[in-house]
Amino acid sequence: MVQQHRIYVLQFDKGEPDQQELSCKVSPPKGAGRRIMYYYHDYGSSGGGGGKNGKPAKSRTLSLRGFFGLLLICFCCFVTLLAAPGDFFSFGRIGDAAEAAAAATQQQQQSAPCSGVVGNDTLCCDRTSERADMCFARGDVRMHSASKSFQIVSSSGSAAAREGELEEERIRPYTRKWEADVMNGIDEVRLRRVSPGDAARCDVRHEMPAVLLSTGGYTGNVYHEFNDGLLPMFVTAGHLDRRVVFVILEYHDWWMTKYGDVVSRLSAFPPIDFTADRRVHCFPEVIAGLRIHGELTVDPARTPSGRGIGDFRRLLDDAYRPRLQYLERMERRANRKQRRKVALVPPRQEQRPRLTIVSRATTTSRVIENEAELKAMATDVGFEVRVVQPQRDSEMCKIYGELNGSDAMVGVHGAAMTHFLFMRPGKVFIQVVPLGMDWAANEYYGAPARRLGLRYVEYKIRAEESSLAREYPAGDPVLTDPEAVSKRGWQVTKKVYLDRQNVRLDLARFRAQLVEAHRYIVASNAGRFDRSKSAG
């Protein structure tokens, strides 16, 4: 049967007029069911893709420059061999060390539960992690959404069939296993063995594995969308080089609209809405659930290909840069047209380091009450200041563009600080930490930012900088001992310190942080800053 999908296609061909406005067209669904969205990118030669089916186009000829470059490399290798044969062959020892490290990583992974699930007709679940369960099924595996299950068809000659072993496993594929209230809202899926006679007939056959996940739970909060979803998707499927199909529970059209760019860099195939798509999809393997390594992090020692958070950062570049480059081309064209209409173009100002303030001005808590004064002060220090206000429906590419092009980012602790992932390593991230948020600020954003290679600065406010000083008398534990108050439980912490607290920065004290950040950025951009001596 030919697989069919109702899709959104976001595509720019090389012959497409640049002035055409970007739009997404929705094909109306026929009959019951929901729309399936998928992105395929081709923004022309500058996008870095350019090849068929999303694969990079490969040059078939060797240029004259390339020929002479290859000749020079061969000459250098020959000279090195004559002068120091021991050093020349030390490359082999380096390779041996790398292979040994890779072998150690592989051995560690093979010792994990379910590492022996390599043959057909196998089913195993790893429930040892406190963060997420995972189940693995290989062989003839069939998605049967009508019964909320995947069927593992036991071959007639298999041991399971001979012994009448028709076991069943259940899983809620979400990465916050320890939060019972949240997990109870995640759909449960069964993985069960069936005999060939009881198996559903395949409607669609896939040659690549499926990864089952849920976009329920805390989806809608950008921190959880990255931490509980996108990063675990990268950890689980990044080594498969896009040869994987994502099967999604609690599928949301808006989620795919928001993150389709990233998903399309992890999978070359349309995702499947488990609930709405009632066809029987058949796979050679199903991974139910996602691996998660911690808060906004990827541990290279625990990934099959040794990839880390830097690799995820580069995936974001690949996902957002083509669209961003297209928007920049449109902006340059519009600016050129605008300049033709004016008689005098003002002289270009000296380029300043860019600082982006991630604003919460449209929210009801953790707002910088003197944000306008902060912006003016940062400009006086020497920054070009931008202000962004991320919303749930904000186009992620545009936020990426702002922060990827910034030298520094300032914001008050909250989910929007997740956007530090868009910044380039070596840049400055200043997090304003309200009362009662010391541990969370470092655990969720500070430590991950350092691992990404950012220069992280914490600005911990004093009691007089908190709006709570206007609600509670001086000496109240809410102001003087937030740690003790937080011990009363998360609900108290959330109600007092997250939901009801704004900040009014001591601009004199904060200015010192901005001056230091400006000095560091200017020196770093000029190549004069010794990063080994910088404080995190």
Side-chain angles (χ1 to χ4, degrees):
M1 178 176 178
V2 179
Q3 183 175 357
Q4 297 179 347
H5 292 276
R6 290 179 289 276
I7 64 175
Y8 295 96
V9 178
L10 179 60
Q11 180 172 353
F12 295 91
D13 295 324
K14 293 181 181 179
E16 181 179 346
D18 280 345
Q19 65 268 24
Q20 180 172 339
E21 185 72 20
L22 173 67
S23 62
C24 291
K25 296 183 179 180
V26 183
S27 57
K30 298 178 182 179
R34 298 164 64 182
R35 294 183 292 271
I36 305 296
M37 299 186 62
Y38 181 63
Y39 287 81
Y40 167 71
H41 300 287
D42 183 1
Y43 292 91
S45 59
S46 65
K52 185 178 180 181
N53 298 328
K55 297 180 180 179
K58 297 182 179 179
S59 173
R60 297 178 181 271
T61 61
L62 181 65
S63 66
L64 186 62
R65 181 181 297 177
F67 172 76
F68 283 111
L70 181 61
L71 191 63
L72 179 61
I73 292 173
C74 293
F75 175 75
C76 292
C77 291
F78 180 70
V79 172
T80 303
L81 175 60
L82 292 179
D87 291 341
F88 180 85
F89 288 108
S90 68
F91 287 114
R93 292 194 294 272
I94 294 173
D96 292 341
E99 291 179 3
T105 299
Q106 183 177 7
Q107 182 178 6
Q108 179 184 3
Q109 293 165 352
Q110 290 177 347
S111 64
C114 297
S115 58
V117 183
V118 294
N120 286 336
D121 199 27
T122 54
L123 171 62
C124 179
C125 289
D126 178 0
R127 305 187 188 276
T128 59
S129 171
E130 65 178 11
R131 288 180 173 266
D133 291 336
M134 292 187 72
C135 292
F136 306 85
R138 290 187 180 178
D140 183 355
V141 188
R142 307 184 182 188
M143 185 187 97
H144 193 248
S145 58
S147 62
K148 294 185 177 180
S149 68
F150 282 88
Q151 300 176 349
I152 301 94
V153 183
S154 296
S155 59
S156 57
S158 68
R162 289 194 304 269
E163 299 171 6
E165 183 183 355
L166 302 178
E167 80 266 30
E168 175 179 292
E169 298 281 0
R170 297 174 179 247
I171 187 170
R172 299 180 189 269
Y174 190 61
T175 54
R176 300 191 78 81
K177 173 182 172 181
W178 72 94
E179 294 194 47
D181 291 343
V182 174
M183 294 301 292
N184 287 338
I186 303 298
D187 290 347
E188 185 178 68
V189 175
R190 298 182 296 158
L191 294 95
R192 59 192 184 96
R193 291 189 182 276
V194 298
S195 63
D198 294 331
R201 181 179 61 86
C202 292
D203 296 320
V204 185
R205 290 190 178 273
H206 302 266
E207 297 178 353
M208 65 290 302
V211 170
L212 174 70
L213 66 137
S214 171
T215 54
Y218 290 125
T219 296
N221 176 296
V222 69
Y223 169 82
H224 292 286
E225 287 162 3
F226 273 88
N227 189 71
D228 303 344
L230 295 174
L231 273 160
M233 290 169 71
F234 174 78
V235 169
T236 306
H239 65 288
L240 298 176
D241 296 325
R242 302 179 72 216
R243 298 286 299 173
V244 62
V245 177
F246 290 113
V247 179
I248 302 178
L249 292 174
E250 288 95 25
Y251 182 100
H252 303 288
D253 284 341
W254 67 263
W255 187 86
M256 277 304 302
T257 301
K258 190 173 185 178
Y259 295 112
D261 298 293
V262 180
V263 175
S264 68
R265 298 306 306 169
L266 290 169
S267 170
F269 307 95
I272 297 172
D273 182 340
F274 180 85
T275 303
D277 193 336
R278 292 306 178 102
R279 293 172 298 172
V280 177
H281 292 263
C282 297
F283 300 93
E285 178 183 359
V286 169
I287 303 170
L290 299 174
R291 297 190 188 279
I292 180 171
H293 290 167
E295 311 303 330
L296 296 179
T297 192
V298 180
D299 182 357
R302 298 162 62 190
T303 58
S305 54
R307 299 182 184 183
I309 188 63
D311 296 285
F312 179 75
R313 174 65 178 73
R314 284 185 284 275
L315 181 139
L316 295 179
D317 287 341
D318 293 339
Y320 292 124
R321 188 170 290 151
R323 164 73 173 147
L324 185 63
Q325 289 173 340
Y326 171 80
L327 294 175
E328 289 173 347
R329 290 201 303 270
M330 296 300 96
E331 183 178 359
R332 286 195 298 269
R333 172 167 292 192
N335 289 340
R336 285 196 299 269
K337 291 181 178 179
Q338 183 66 25
R339 282 198 294 268
R340 295 191 193 108
K341 299 178 182 180
V342 297
L344 180 64
V345 178
R348 183 178 179 182
Q349 296 181 351
E350 181 182 356
Q351 188 173 8
R352 294 176 156 204
R354 182 189 298 180
L355 178 141
T356 298
I357 299 173
V358 181
S359 174
R360 296 180 59 92
T362 59
T363 66
T364 58
S365 67
R366 283 161 286 149
V367 175
I368 299 178
E369 296 178 338
N370 53 346
E371 185 176 291
E373 292 89 339
L374 168 63
K375 181 179 178 180
M377 182 185 70
T379 302
D380 183 62
V381 167
F383 285 103
E384 173 197 343
V385 182
R386 305 280 191 94
V387 178
V388 297
Q389 295 180 352
Q391 306 293 329
R392 176 171 170 169
D393 58 352
S394 297
E395 184 177 355
M396 295 300 289
C397 168
K398 293 182 179 179
I399 300 176
Y400 164 87
E402 287 289 347
L403 291 172
N404 185 65
S406 293
D407 296 288
M409 165 181 162
V410 172
V412 180
H413 171 75
M417 295 300 94
T418 306
H419 296 114
F420 79 77
L421 291 168
F422 295 164
M423 299 189 72
R424 290 166 291 163
K427 301 306 180 181
V428 178
F429 169 31
I430 303 176
Q431 181 178 200
V432 177
V433 183
L435 296 181
M437 292 290 104
D438 290 8
W439 179 87
N442 181 69
E443 180 73 10
Y444 297 136
Y445 305 111
R450 294 188 192 96
R451 287 192 288 265
L452 188 61
L454 298 178
R455 179 179 172 89
Y456 174 67
V457 178
E458 268 188 358
Y459 179 84
K460 297 181 180 180
I461 72 168
R462 296 170 176 166
E464 58 268 23
E465 295 174 87
S466 172
S467 63
L468 297 177
R470 300 194 293 266
E471 296 185 35
Y472 294 87
D476 191 285
V478 167
L479 303 175
T480 61
D481 195 358
E483 185 176 351
V485 175
S486 296
K487 289 180 180 179
R488 301 178 191 172
W490 167 246
Q491 291 302 323
V492 173
T493 301
K494 181 177 183 298
K495 180 179 179 181
V496 175
Y497 294 114
L498 281 177
D499 296 344
R500 291 168 46 194
Q501 181 175 197
N502 291 331
V503 300
R504 176 170 289 275
L505 297 175
D506 180 338
L507 295 180
R509 192 163 73 97
F510 197 78
R511 184 185 181 95
Q513 299 286 3
L514 292 182
V515 169
E516 173 62 18
H518 187 273
R519 183 194 70 83
Y520 163 79
I521 292 165
V522 170
S524 181
N525 290 344
R528 299 191 304 269
F529 195 87
D530 185 355
R531 296 177 188 272
S532 65
K533 296 181 180 179
S534 64

